[in-house]
């Protein structure tokens, strides 16, 4: 009834276009459009030194919407998956409310086109759309209440854009993602089993794993299998790398020191006149020379084989040979000729 009255009075409203745009997104007309206008103002529009700048952008509504969205999605997931355990429900909710998902939703419903921003390139803030979506939920809550937020998420988002069952059962291979990231950035990655114990209830084995990057501990995970514990450790590491720029700086600082040491020139050893010693110390014909760099790659591949994960989509990008590898290859060639 209220929506019908809104439609009748709409032609006389000053913000007719804004009301229509929001109606297409929400499925109902706003009562107080000022909430929605604020939800679409990015903080980049605030001028330096502007009085009460925090009240002129969507950050406060984003905070409110984040909390409401967690509650609503938690409610929906709880009702949808009857009998499922807390861990499953938490994991499903986190997949739906994560920033990447909210960004896609904002793009699908056209919310990203309504955001007011002074940023010339939105790629500088890849979460702008997702943040605005949270602010929109905050605006709906203040304007219409919890039930309208629930109705919007159920009918306009989950029913039309997201298959909740697919999202719930889709496994994200965090370890694969972390290994791919480490290979692209040429950093050393290592998974270590720290502890194996029994749980208090049924005596099932519990594994505690740690992932380190360039020797820096970046995440730990506990699970009922080595695979699960490594996945959870990798998930924590990815989260830290995403949210903690200082950790990335620390990792690459260690990498720079390591690579600087590896690239230091070494003297070419003089060849002995004793051919027997040369034959003994030299590799056999057609035997590959295993340099430190190749050993490192081999260890990474062995770790991948032991993990039971599918890494077929990850390619190792071969770099130019280092000075040590060039020297080793030259020696090997000389040994083969003398053999």
């Amino acid at each position: 009834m209220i929506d019908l009255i809104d439609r009748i009075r709409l032609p006389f409203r000053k913000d007719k276009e804004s009301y229509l745009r929001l109606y297409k997104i929400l499925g109902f007309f706003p009562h107080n459009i000022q909430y929605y206008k604020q939800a679409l103002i990015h903080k980049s529009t605030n001028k330096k030194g502007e009085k009460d700048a925090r009240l002129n952008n969507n950050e406060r509504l984003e905070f409110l919407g984040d909390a409401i969205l967690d509650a609503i999605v938690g409610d929906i997931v709880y009702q949808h998956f009857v009998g499922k355990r807390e861990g499953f429900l938490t994991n499903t909710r986190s997949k739906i409310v994560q920033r990447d998902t909210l960004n896609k939703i904002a793009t699908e419903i056209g919310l990203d086109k309504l955001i007011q921003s002074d940023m010339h390139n939105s790629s500088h803030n890849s979460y702008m759309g997702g943040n605005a979506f949270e602010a929109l939920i905050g605006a709906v809550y203040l304007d219409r209440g919890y039930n309208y937020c629930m109705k919007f998420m159920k009918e306009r988002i989950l029913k039309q854009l997201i298959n909740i069952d697919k999202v719930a059962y889709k496994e994200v291979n965090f370890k694969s993602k972390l290994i791919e990231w480490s290979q692209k950035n040429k950093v050393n990655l290592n998974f270590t089993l720290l502890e194996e114990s029994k749980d208090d209830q049924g005596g099932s084995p519990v594994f505690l794993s740690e992932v380190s990057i360039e020797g820096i501990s970046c995440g730990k995970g506990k699970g009922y299998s080595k695979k699960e514990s490594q996945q959870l450790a990798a998930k924590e590491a990815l989260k830290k790398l995403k949210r903690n720029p200082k950790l990335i700086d620390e990792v690459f600082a260690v990498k720079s020191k390591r690579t600087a040491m590896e690239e230091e020139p070494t003297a070419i050893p003089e060849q002995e006149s004793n051919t027997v010693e040369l034959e003994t110390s030299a590799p056999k014909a057609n035997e590959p020379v295993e340099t430190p760099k190749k050993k490192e790659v081999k260890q990474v591949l062995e770790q991948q084989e032991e993990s039971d994960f599918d890494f077929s989509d990850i390619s190792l990008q071969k770099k130019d040979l280092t000075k040590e590898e060039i020297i080793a290859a030259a020696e090997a060639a000389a040994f083969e000729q003398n053999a």
Side-chain angles (χ1 to χ4, degrees):
M1 185 67 181
I2 295 174
D3 284 343
L4 181 60
I5 295 172
D6 285 339
R7 291 180 195 177
I8 294 171
R9 295 177 181 176
L10 192 60
F12 304 101
R13 286 183 170 170
K14 183 174 64 176
D15 297 311
K16 177 181 175 181
E17 189 176 346
S18 297
Y19 275 90
L20 287 173
R21 285 181 177 178
L22 287 168
Y23 178 81
K24 287 180 181 179
I25 292 173
L26 299 170
F28 55 84
F29 287 105
H31 281 167
N32 186 345
I33 200 169
Q34 295 307 317
Y35 291 132
Y36 301 89
K37 285 185 174 182
Q38 187 173 346
L40 297 171
I41 300 175
H42 187 258
K43 64 181 180 180
S44 62
T45 60
N46 296 147
K47 296 178 182 177
K48 220 172 184 181
E50 183 180 356
K51 188 179 179 182
D52 292 330
R54 68 183 182 278
L55 302 177
N56 298 325
N57 60 57
N58 63 6
E59 285 188 323
R60 282 170 52 83
L61 282 172
E62 179 193 335
F63 163 79
L64 177 61
D66 178 49
I68 300 300
L69 193 60
D70 269 355
I72 288 172
V73 175
D75 192 343
I76 293 171
V77 168
Y78 179 85
Q79 299 295 338
H80 187 82
F81 297 103
V82 179
K84 287 294 184 181
R85 293 185 176 181
E86 181 267 343
F88 176 88
L89 300 177
T90 300
N91 191 34
T92 302
R93 180 183 63 184
S94 66
K95 288 178 185 176
I96 296 174
V97 301
Q98 66 179 344
R99 281 293 183 274
D100 289 340
T101 304
L102 298 184
N103 286 338
K104 290 175 183 176
I105 291 173
T107 302
E108 286 292 326
I109 64 178
L111 187 67
D112 58 324
K113 295 181 176 62
L114 303 181
I115 300 172
Q116 297 179 36
S117 168
D118 281 350
M119 301 176 73
H120 299 293
N121 188 353
S122 60
S123 64
H124 289 297
N125 189 339
S126 57
Y127 298 141
M128 191 186 296
N131 293 344
F133 182 81
E134 287 182 334
L136 179 70
I137 296 295
V140 173
Y141 177 74
L142 292 176
D143 183 43
R144 291 289 196 131
Y146 182 87
N147 289 336
Y148 266 80
C149 291
M150 176 68 79
K151 179 182 176 183
F152 169 61
M153 282 301 298
K154 275 186 173 180
E155 297 184 2
R156 311 291 288 195
I157 305 301
L158 294 178
K159 190 179 285 187
Q160 297 183 25
L161 301 178
I162 297 177
N163 185 322
I164 191 170
D165 293 298
K166 277 188 178 180
V167 170
Y169 292 102
K170 181 182 178 183
E171 182 181 348
V172 180
N173 196 332
F174 296 106
K175 183 176 180 181
S176 175
K177 288 180 177 293
L178 185 61
I179 290 176
E180 185 177 5
W181 178 84
S182 69
Q183 290 173 350
K184 284 181 179 179
N185 291 280
K186 307 296 185 295
V187 295
N188 288 339
L189 179 69
N190 188 46
F191 285 88
T192 306
L193 180 64
L194 297 180
E195 182 184 309
E196 184 176 347
S197 58
K198 302 282 185 180
D199 67 1
D200 298 331
Q201 298 176 348
S204 301
V206 178
F207 301 89
L208 177 64
S209 293
E210 178 184 49
V211 59
S212 58
I213 305 174
E214 292 293 346
I216 301 169
S217 176
C218 293
K220 293 180 182 179
K222 184 179 286 188
Y224 289 103
S225 67
K226 291 180 182 178
K227 176 179 176 179
E228 184 183 4
S229 66
Q230 290 179 347
Q231 280 278 25
L232 294 173
K235 181 180 180 180
E236 183 178 313
L238 287 168
K239 189 182 293 185
K240 285 183 178 179
L241 290 169
K242 193 173 184 180
R243 297 181 178 179
N244 189 357
K246 289 183 180 179
L247 177 59
I248 296 178
D249 292 340
E250 188 178 352
V251 166
F252 281 93
V254 175
K255 176 197 170 184
S256 297
K257 290 180 181 178
R258 173 178 59 78
T259 53
M261 291 176 65
E262 288 177 355
E263 292 174 1
E264 286 181 359
T266 56
I268 301 176
E270 294 182 2
Q271 294 187 11
E272 304 264 348
S273 58
N274 190 333
T275 56
V276 177
E277 287 188 10
L278 284 173
E279 289 173 356
T280 306
S281 60
K284 295 178 182 179
N286 301 323
E287 183 179 356
V289 179
E290 199 168 64
T291 63
K293 188 93 174 176
K294 290 181 181 177
K295 283 182 181 178
E296 180 185 323
V297 173
K298 185 179 178 183
Q299 288 171 357
V300 171
L301 293 174
E302 286 174 351
Q303 287 176 1
Q304 293 176 1
E305 290 173 359
E306 293 173 358
S307 66
D308 294 328
F309 289 108
D310 179 17
F311 300 111
S312 57
D313 60 335
I314 300 174
S315 59
L316 283 170
Q317 299 175 351
K318 182 143 183 86
K319 259 192 121 180
D320 295 334
L321 293 175
T322 64
K323 292 182 180 179
E324 289 180 351
E325 289 176 319
I326 293 171
I327 293 168
E331 287 178 352
F335 292 154
E336 289 175 358
Q337 289 175 2
N338 293 331

